[in-house]
């Protein structure tokens, strides 16, 4: 069928033996480079479609405390960010020692929970209960609002460990957190009303993206022998409007949505690089390290929306748009940050990443001019 042809073509692209030279995106984004082909590589059919970091090592790195003092005017936001990164550090240590086994319980949706899911969720709840600034918490594992401190200020929603289906392979997984102020409330608010958001990536290293007053910053846990637990590894990250990296989720929808099939064909015909793990956190996080990319997750009647607006789409959307990228709700073509939250477990389609590619998604799938 046409869908099988599309899948095979995507795989063929990933294994392609032809090299390409990515367009330079400008010094502002310090675009990663493709390795140059050598005669030996060409003889063996090596493909040079990989993008490598352009980051250079610094003599010293600022601590989380120093960056928050300089780049976060609201001290309560600084407090909640510090508490959330402490929780991410604890989850990091737990993942290093816990086996990935079935817990023997299931979440609200009937999904079997893993031991690491339960541990991560419990660590997040402990953080909320100890906090003096968090008023209400909600977990993707059990999506209901719970008051933890009547004198608190923020509603915090989190996916404690996204990637349960790939963590047994020891692949990268992550935590996503959105923070709403009591001034806007939560139900009836939008993702744009978040005061900050946090996304942690647990891989060979633990890194965290946070939204501060002047942009998006990345912090790395326990790196470079520094005394500080968290050091600032990237600052004021920008995502280029152009890209050559694509992450196509929910490809089943291409059987029903002709525009999605055409979009996948466009990626392949124009020799984009496929980078997709099946984990939302690593698949979108790479846009900040590669400074380009697009993640597409359209829906159809046969392949409905699975992504949670408050737990996943909104926290990442705040970060991507703050870094110069764009988002789409996958239906109207508007920003996912403008979708009103009407239920804790509200689902959404999503396209997120480099602006020109989100525009292309809107044109081909949402039929927006």
């Amino acid at each position: 069928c046409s869908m099988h042809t599309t899948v095979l073509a995507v795989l063929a692209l990933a294994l392609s033996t032809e090299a390409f030279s990515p367009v330079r995106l400008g010094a502002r984004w310090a675009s990663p480079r493709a390795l140059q082909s050598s005669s030996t590589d060409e003889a063996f059919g090596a493909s040079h479609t990989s993008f490598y970091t352009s980051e250079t090592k610094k003599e010293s790195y600022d601590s989380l405390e120093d960056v928050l003092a300089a780049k976060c005017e609201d001290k309560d936001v600084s407090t909640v960010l510090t508490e959330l990164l402490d929780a991410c550090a604890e989850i990091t240590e737990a993942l290093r020692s816990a086996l990935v086994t079935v817990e023997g319980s299931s979440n609200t949706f009937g999904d079997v929970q893993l031991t690491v899911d339960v541990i991560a969720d419990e660590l997040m709840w402990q953080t909320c209960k100890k906090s003096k600034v968090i008023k209400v918490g909600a977990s993707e594992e059990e999506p209901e609002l719970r008051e933890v401190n009547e004198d608190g200020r923020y509603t915090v929603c989190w996916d404690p460990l996204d990637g349960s289906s790939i963590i047994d392979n020891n692949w990268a997984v992550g935590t996503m957190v959105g923070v709403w102020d009591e001034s806007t409330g939560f139900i009836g608010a939008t993702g744009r009303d978040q005061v900050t958001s946090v996304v942690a990536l647990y891989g060979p290293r633990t890194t965290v993206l946070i939204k501060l007053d002047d942009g998006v910053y990345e912090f790395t846990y326990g790196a470079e022998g520094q005394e500080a637990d968290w050091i600032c590894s990237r600052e004021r990250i920008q995502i280029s409007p152009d890209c050559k990296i694509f992450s196509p989720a929910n490809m089943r929808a291409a059987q029903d949505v002709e525009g999605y099939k055409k979009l996948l064909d466009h990626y392949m015909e124009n020799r984009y690089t496929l980078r997709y793990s099946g984990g939302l956190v690593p698949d979108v996080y790479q846009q900040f390290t590669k400074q380009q990319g697009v993640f597409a997750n359209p829906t159809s009647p046969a392949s409905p929306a699975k992504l949670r607006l408050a737990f996943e789409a909104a926290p990442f959307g705040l970060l991507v748009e703050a870094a110069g990228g764009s988002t789409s709700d996958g239906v109207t073509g508007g920003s996912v940050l403008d979708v009103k939250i009407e239920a804790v477990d509200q689902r959404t389609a999503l396209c997120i990443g480099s602006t020109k590619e989100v525009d292309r998604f809107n044109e081909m799938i949402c039929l927006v001019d």
Side-chain angles (χ1 to χ4, degrees), residues 41 110 282 315:
D41 290 336

Side-chain angles (χ1 to χ4, degrees), residues 120-347:
D121 198 34
E122 181 57 32
L123 288 171
M124 289 297 299
W125 277 116
Q126 288 178 13
T127 295
C128 289
K129 292 172 182 176
K130 291 186 296 184
S131 173
K132 293 183 179 180
V133 295
I134 298 175
K135 182 173 186 174
V136 175
S139 169
E140 185 261 355
E141 293 293 320
E142 192 172 351
E144 59 183 41
L145 298 172
R146 295 182 183 178
E147 186 174 289
V148 292
N149 177 10
E150 63 179 11
D151 297 321
R153 175 179 172 185
Y154 300 119
T155 294
V156 175
C157 296
W158 65 85
D159 184 342
L161 200 64
D162 181 74
S164 297
S165 65
I166 60 175
I167 193 172
D168 55 346
N169 293 334
N170 209 21
W171 291 6
V173 294
T175 298
M176 291 169 280
V177 189
V179 182
W180 283 262
D181 188 73
E182 62 182 353
S183 62
T184 63
F186 177 71
I187 298 297
T190 68
R192 203 172 297 283
D193 291 321
Q194 294 171 102
V195 295
T196 189
S197 67
V198 174
V199 172
L201 178 64
Y202 310 112
R205 296 167 295 119
T206 292
T207 54
V208 173
L209 297 169
I210 63 175
K211 162 69 170 62
L212 297 179
D213 294 347
D214 64 343
V216 179
Y217 288 70
E218 180 192 71
F219 293 86
T220 299
Y221 178 64
E224 295 296 320
Q226 302 286 319
E227 291 184 7
D229 287 341
W230 295 96
I231 60 170
C232 183
S233 42
R234 299 174 192 265
E235 57 189 42
R236 300 189 66 187
I237 303 169
Q238 289 288 294
I239 296 173
S240 166
D242 298 287
C243 81
K244 278 288 188 177
I245 297 174
F246 75 112
S247 303
N250 197 17
M251 289 181 63
R252 297 180 188 88
Q255 293 180 317
D256 310 311
V257 181
E258 182 64 21
Y260 195 26
K261 182 180 182 300
K262 291 180 179 179
L263 183 61
L264 295 176
D265 288 341
H266 169 82
Y267 294 147
M268 294 181 288
E269 290 166 2
N270 289 274
R271 308 200 56 74
Y272 285 52
T273 295
L274 172 66
R275 289 292 180 266
Y276 179 70
S277 72
L280 178 65
V281 173
D283 290 338
V284 179
Y285 198 111
Q286 66 182 328
Q287 296 173 10
F288 296 86
T289 54
K290 305 303 184 185
Q291 296 175 304
Q292 59 166 300
V294 61
F295 172 91
N297 191 336
T299 61
S300 71
S303 300
K306 292 184 178 181
L307 296 180
R308 277 79 170 179
L309 176 61
F311 301 110
E312 298 167 314
F316 247 137
L318 189 73
L319 292 166
V320 167
E321 292 198 11
S326 296
T327 67
S328 169
D329 63 9
V331 179
T332 70
S335 168
V336 76
L337 293 181
D338 293 328
V339 178
K340 184 177 291 187
I341 300 170
E342 298 176 342
V344 181
D345 188 45
Q346 187 170 336
R347 312 297 178 95

Side-chain angles (χ1 to χ4, degrees), residues 44-122:
F44 286 95
S47 173
H48 292 295
T49 59
S50 296
F51 294 87
Y52 296 85
T53 185
S54 60
E55 291 293 311
T56 56
K57 187 174 181 178
K58 301 178 182 178
E59 291 185 2
S60 63
Y61 294 84
D62 292 331
S63 68
L64 172 65
E65 182 179 7
D66 290 340
V67 174
L68 290 178
K71 303 296 182 179
C72 188
E73 184 176 356
D74 191 317
K75 299 309 177 186
D76 285 347
V77 174
S78 291
T79 297
V80 76
L81 284 170
T82 300
E83 292 171 343
L84 291 173
L85 264 67
D86 284 346
C88 292
E90 292 176 348
I91 293 172
T92 297
E93 298 301 334
L95 290 176
R96 289 174 178 172
S97 58
L99 294 177
V100 179
T101 58
V102 175
E103 177 68 13
S105 60
S106 60
N107 60 20
T108 304
F109 314 104
D111 301 325
V112 174
Q113 288 183 300
L114 303 178
T115 304
V116 287
D117 290 325
V118 175
I119 292 172
D121 198 34
E122 181 57 32

